[in-house]
C-alpha cells in the first residue's frame, strides 16, 4: 500500500526547493525508517536529482502536477497542454514515479483539457497510475482515474463515521482502489525559544502570540506545567495520527494515504520535521502503524477508556480490566488504554430535565473535512447527556447539572449552588488544528491531564465536538480553564482560544462549564470530578454576563 508524506517543497535551508543529494538521501532513509514508502511532490518539481535518488533508493513518488486552482479559459489551454507535455516527459524518465495527478483540488478543471490529459498521460505513462484530479470525490471524474481519492482532515470521532460513510459512497462508483492524496493532519506547538529571534523569510508566524500564551501558563501554573503542556501537545498529535491511520488501514479496499506534512511551514505546524530540520518522532513511535505489517488494536466502540472490573472483547485478544481506585494506564497492543473506577456519583447530585434539542448542524458539521468532503450522514454533533443522574433539586450543598441557565438557576448559583452547565454558548471545533492544554487544578488533580489528553481526541469528543470561544466572548481573564483548545492551524497572527471545560465564581457559587461527552467511561469520571472535587480557582464573572447566556443569547 501507499504510505506517503506530503511535500510542498518548503526548504528553509535552501534558496529554492533544491536540497543537496546527501540531504535527500538522509531524508529518504529517515522516512523509510518511520514506515513511509512514498513522497507526494505536491504541485512542484524539485531538481531532477531527487527523482534519480528516489529511483536508486526505492522511494516511490506521487507527482502532482503544479496546476492548482488556476483560471483555465480556452485561450490559455494550448499553453497548459505544452506544460503538461514537458511534465509527462520528465515523469516517464523515472521508475519511482508511481502515481501522477494532473491537478489538485481544482473545482473547474476544463472537460476538454481533462480528456486530453488523460489520453496523453496514458500514452506517455502506460504503466503508471493516473488521476486527472487528486481531491474530493465530488470534484473528480470517476471515469478518468485509476484510483478514487479524497482529501479529508478531521477529528478522530468524526473520522470513524467518515470511513463508514465513505464505504457507502464507494459502492456507487466504478470499482477502483481507494487512496487519500492528502490527509490526517495534527498540529504541534512551536519551539518558541529556538524560533523567537528568527526573522528570515521562512520565520513561522504567530511566535510572539505563542510566547504570550506560554508566559501566561508559566505565570499561573509554573515551568513544570509549561513543559508538560509542550510534551502533551506532541503526544496528542501523534496519538490521533496513529488512531486515524489504524482505522483507515483496517479496510481491505484502501490502497494508501499521504499524511500532511513533511515539515512545518510558516502558518501550519503539522510537520514530521520542524523548522530547524529536527524530526519530531522516532521509528518506534511510527513503525507499528506505518510499516508494512501494522499492529491494529480493535476495541469495543474504538474507545480507549473503560470502567474496570470486566473483560472487553478486543482484537487480537480479549483484555481483562482490573478494578481500580483511580484512572490507571494499561498498555495493550501498542496503545495505552485507560481503566477507570466505577463512577458512583453521590445522591446529592441531580439534573434538570431541560436539555434542548441537539443544535442544528453548521456548514462545517454537515460535511466531513470542515464541510468540504462527503456529507456527514452517520456523524452528528450532540449535546452532552446525563440520563444516569436523577432529576430533581439537589439536597444540601450538592451540585446541579443543567443544560440551561434559567433566571431561577442563576439566582441559586449566585447564592452558592455549584452548577454544571452542559450547553454553554459554543461552536464546532475541528480538533486537527488545535493544541490542547489541560490544567491540573481543582476540580482536576495531579495526573488527570494524562488520561484526558489520551481520551480527548475520541472518547470525550465522540459526538460532542464543541468549544466555548472564551477569548471572543471576553471571558479569558474571568475563568479558570480546565481543558483548553488553542487553535493554531493557518492563523496568520495569533491563536484562537476555545475552552471545553472551565470554572468561574458567580456570586458565591461556582459555575462549571463542560462541552464534553459525559456518557463514556472517561466522560462519567470527568463529570464526577467536576461535581464533587474542591475548586481551587478564584476567577470571577459578573452574574449579568452569565445572564446573557440564558436561552442561548450570546450577545
Amino acid at each position: 500500500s501507499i504510505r506517503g508524506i506530503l511535500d510542498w517543497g518548503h526548504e528553509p535551508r535552501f534558496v529554492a526547493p533544491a536540497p543537496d543529494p546527501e540531504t535527500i538521501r538522509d531524508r529518504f532513509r529517515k522516512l523509510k525508517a518511520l514506515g513511509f514508502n512514498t513522497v507526494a511532490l505536491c504541485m512542484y518539481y524539485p531538481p531532477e536529482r531527487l527523482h534519480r535518488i528516489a529511483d536508486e533508493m526505492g522511494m516511490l513518488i506521487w507527482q502532482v502536477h503544479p496546476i492548482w486552482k488556476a483560471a483555465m479559459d480556452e485561450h490559455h489551454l494550448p499553453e497548459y497542454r505544452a506544460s503538461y507535455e514537458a511534465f509527462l516527459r520528465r515523469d516517464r524518465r523515472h521508475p519511482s514515479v508511481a502515481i501522477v495527478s494532473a491537478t489538485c483540488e481544482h473545482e473547474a478543471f476544463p472537460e476538454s483539457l481533462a480528456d486530453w490529459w488523460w489520453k496523453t498521460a496514458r500514452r506517455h505513462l502506460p504503466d503508471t497510475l493516473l488521476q486527472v484530479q487528486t481531491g474530493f470525490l465530488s470534484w473528480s471524474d470517476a471515469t478518468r482515474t485509476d484510483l478514487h481519492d479524497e482529501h479529508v482532515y478531521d477529528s478522530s470521532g468524526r473520522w470513524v463515521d467518515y470511513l463508514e460513510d465513505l464505504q457507502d459512497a464507494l459502492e456507487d462508483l466504478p470499482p477502483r482502489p481507494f487512496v487519500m492524496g492528502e490527509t490526517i493532519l495534527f498540529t504541534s506547538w512551536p519551539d518558541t525559544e529556538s524560533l523567537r529571534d528568527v526573522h528570515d523569510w521562512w520565520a513561522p508566524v504567530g511566535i510572539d502570540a505563542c510566547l504570550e500564551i506560554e508566559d501566561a501558563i508559566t505565570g499561573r501554573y509554573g515551568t513544570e506545567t509549561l513543559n508538560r503542556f509542550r510534551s502533551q501537545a506532541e503526544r496528542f498529535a501523534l496519538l490521533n495520527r496513529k488512531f486515524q491511520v489504524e482505522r483507515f488501514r483496517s479496510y481491505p479496499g484502501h490502497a494508501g494515504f499521504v499524511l500532511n506534512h513533511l515539515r512545518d511551514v510558516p502558518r501550519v505546524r503539522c510537520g514530521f520535521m520542524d523548522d530547524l530540520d529536527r524530526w519530531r518522532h522516532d521509528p518506534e513511535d511510527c513503525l507499528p502503524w506505518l510499516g508494512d505489517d501494522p499492529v491494529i488494536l480493535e476495541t469495543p466502540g474504538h474507545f480507549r477508556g473503560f470502567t474496570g472490573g470486566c473483560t472487553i472483547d478486543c482484537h487480537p485478544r480479549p483484555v481483562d480490566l482490573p478494578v481500580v481506585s483511580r484512572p490507571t494506564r494499561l498498555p495493550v497492543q501498542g496503545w495505552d488504554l485507560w481503566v477507570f473506577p466505577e463512577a458512583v456519583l453521590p445522591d446529592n447530585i441531580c439534573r434538570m430535565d431541560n436539555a434542548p434539542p441537539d443544535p442544528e448542524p453548521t456548514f462545517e458539521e454537515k460535511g466531513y473535512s470542515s464541510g468540504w468532503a462527503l456529507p456527514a450522514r452517520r456523524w452528528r454533533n450532540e449535546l452532552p447527556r446525563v440520563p444516569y443522574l436523577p432529576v430533581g433539586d439537589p439536597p444540601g450543598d450538592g451540585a446541579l447539572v443543567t443544560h440551561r441557565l434559567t433566571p431561577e438557576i442563576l439566582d441559586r448559583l449566585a447564592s452558592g449552588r455549584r452548577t454544571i452547565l452542559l450547553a454553554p454558548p459554543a461552536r464546532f471545533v475541528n480538533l486537527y488544528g488545535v493544541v490542547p492544554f489541560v490544567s491540573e487544578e481543582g476540580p482536576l488533580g495531579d495526573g488527570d491531564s494524562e488520561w484526558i489528553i489520551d481520551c480527548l481526541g475520541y472518547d470525550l469528543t465522540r459526538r460532542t465536538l464543541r468549544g466555548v470561544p472564551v477569548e471572543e466572548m471576553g471571558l479569558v481573564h474571568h475563568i479558570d480553564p480546565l481543558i483548553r483548545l488553542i487553535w493554531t492551524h493557518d492563523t496568520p497572527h495569533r491563536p484562537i482560544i476555545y475552552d471545553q471545560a472551565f470554572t468561574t465564581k458567580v456570586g458565591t457559587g461556582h459555575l462549571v462549564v463542560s462541552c464534553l461527552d459525559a456518557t463514556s467511561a472517561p466522560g462519567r469520571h470527568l463529570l464526577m470530578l467536576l461535581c464533587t472535587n474542591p475548586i481551587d480557582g478564584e476567577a470571577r464573572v459578573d452574574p449579568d454576563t452569565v445572564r446573557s447566556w440564558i436561552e442561548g443569547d450570546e450577545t
Side-chain angles (χ1 to χ4, degrees), residues 205-505:
V205 300
I207 292 298
D208 289 343
C210 291
L211 282 165
E212 290 178 18
I213 291 172
E214 290 188 351
D215 289 344
I217 292 173
T218 302
R220 170 66 188 277
Y221 306 100
T223 302
E224 185 177 339
T225 297
L226 176 63
N227 292 335
R228 173 173 60 76
F229 160 67
R230 289 169 172 162
S231 64
Q232 288 180 339
E234 208 63 74
R235 179 174 175 84
F236 180 79
L238 183 67
L239 286 180
N240 279 277
R241 286 190 191 268
K242 172 181 170 70
F243 180 89
Q244 294 192 13
V245 168
E246 285 192 17
R247 298 273 46 82
F248 180 89
R249 298 188 75 178
S250 68
Y251 290 82
H254 292 179
F257 52 84
V258 174
L259 301 187
N260 194 347
H261 177 256
L262 175 63
R263 67 178 313 135
D264 289 354
V265 297
R267 288 168 60 137
V268 179
R269 287 176 280 272
C270 65
F272 277 67
M273 298 171 67
D274 70 6
D275 293 289
L276 302 174
D277 290 341
R278 298 173 300 192
W279 291 91
R280 285 197 163 99
H281 308 299
D282 295 320
E284 56 266 28
D285 298 325
C286 302
L287 199 58
W289 46 278
L290 274 177
D292 291 330
D293 299 307
V295 178
I296 296 177
L297 175 65
E298 301 281 356
T299 63
H302 307 301
F303 290 108
R304 294 299 182 257
F306 301 91
T307 301
C310 65
T311 299
I312 56 174
D313 185 17
C314 295
H315 179 81
R317 59 179 177 82
V319 175
D320 295 325
L321 303 179
V323 176
V324 297
S325 60
R326 58 171 296 139
T328 302
R329 194 188 304 269
L330 180 65
V332 176
Q333 200 75 13
W335 280 94
D336 286 339
L337 300 186
W338 284 92
V339 187
F340 291 86
E342 185 177 355
V344 179
L345 290 158
D347 294 337
N348 65 345
I349 297 174
C350 297
R351 67 182 170 97
M352 297 293 293
D353 190 16
N354 63 0
D358 290 327
E360 286 296 314
T362 62
F363 171 82
E364 289 184 304
E365 295 168 278
K366 288 179 180 178
Y368 299 108
S369 207
S370 298
W372 294 104
L374 290 178
R377 304 193 186 280
R378 286 176 171 80
W379 187 86
R380 61 192 182 279
N381 209 351
E382 301 174 349
L383 293 176
R385 308 284 176 173
V386 286
Y388 48 86
L389 287 179
V391 176
D393 188 14
D397 60 354
L400 176 66
V401 180
T402 181
H403 287 84
R404 298 176 186 268
L405 288 176
T406 65
E408 293 78 15
I409 293 173
L410 181 55
D411 288 343
R412 292 163 69 190
L413 164 64
S415 298
R417 170 75 70 191
R418 183 187 299 204
T419 302
I420 290 82
L421 177 64
L422 299 182
R427 293 184 186 155
F428 173 80
V429 184
N430 213 329
L431 299 185
Y432 74 82
V434 308
V435 175
F437 168 75
V438 181
S439 76
E440 289 191 342
E441 291 195 350
L444 302 181
D446 291 346
D448 282 329
S449 66
E450 296 180 22
W451 63 264
I452 289 174
I453 287 293
D454 283 13
C455 296
L456 184 62
Y458 186 81
D459 298 53
L460 292 171
T461 55
R462 175 71 176 96
R463 295 201 185 277
T464 55
L465 195 52
R466 289 178 176 267
V468 180
V470 292
E471 192 170 40
E472 182 180 310
M473 295 172 68
L475 294 176
V476 167
H477 301 296
H478 303 283
I479 61 175
D480 291 302
L482 300 176
I483 301 175
R484 171 161 287 180
L485 304 179
I486 306 171
W487 178 276
T488 66
H489 178 77
D490 203 18
T491 50
H493 303 297
R494 60 182 303 109
I496 303 169
I497 304 298
Y498 300 91
D499 279 354
Q500 291 188 305
F502 64 84
T503 66
T504 189
K505 293 192 77 172

Side-chain angles (χ1 to χ4, degrees), residues 142-162:
T143 66
R144 296 190 182 109
T145 184
D146 294 326
L147 300 164
H148 294 311
D149 196 350
E150 276 265 272
H151 290 185
V152 172
Y153 302 102
D154 226 310
S155 303
S156 293
R158 281 164 57 94
W159 183 255
V160 167
D161 284 337
Y162 163 69

Side-chain angles (χ1 to χ4, degrees), residues 42-43 64 67-69 102-106 133-134 151 182:
C42 189
M43 296 176 290
V64 182
I67 304 292
W68 188 58
K69 296 185 182 298
T103 190
C104 176
E105 297 178 3
H106 201 305
Q133 174 97 255
T134 177
H151 290 185
E182 54 180 82

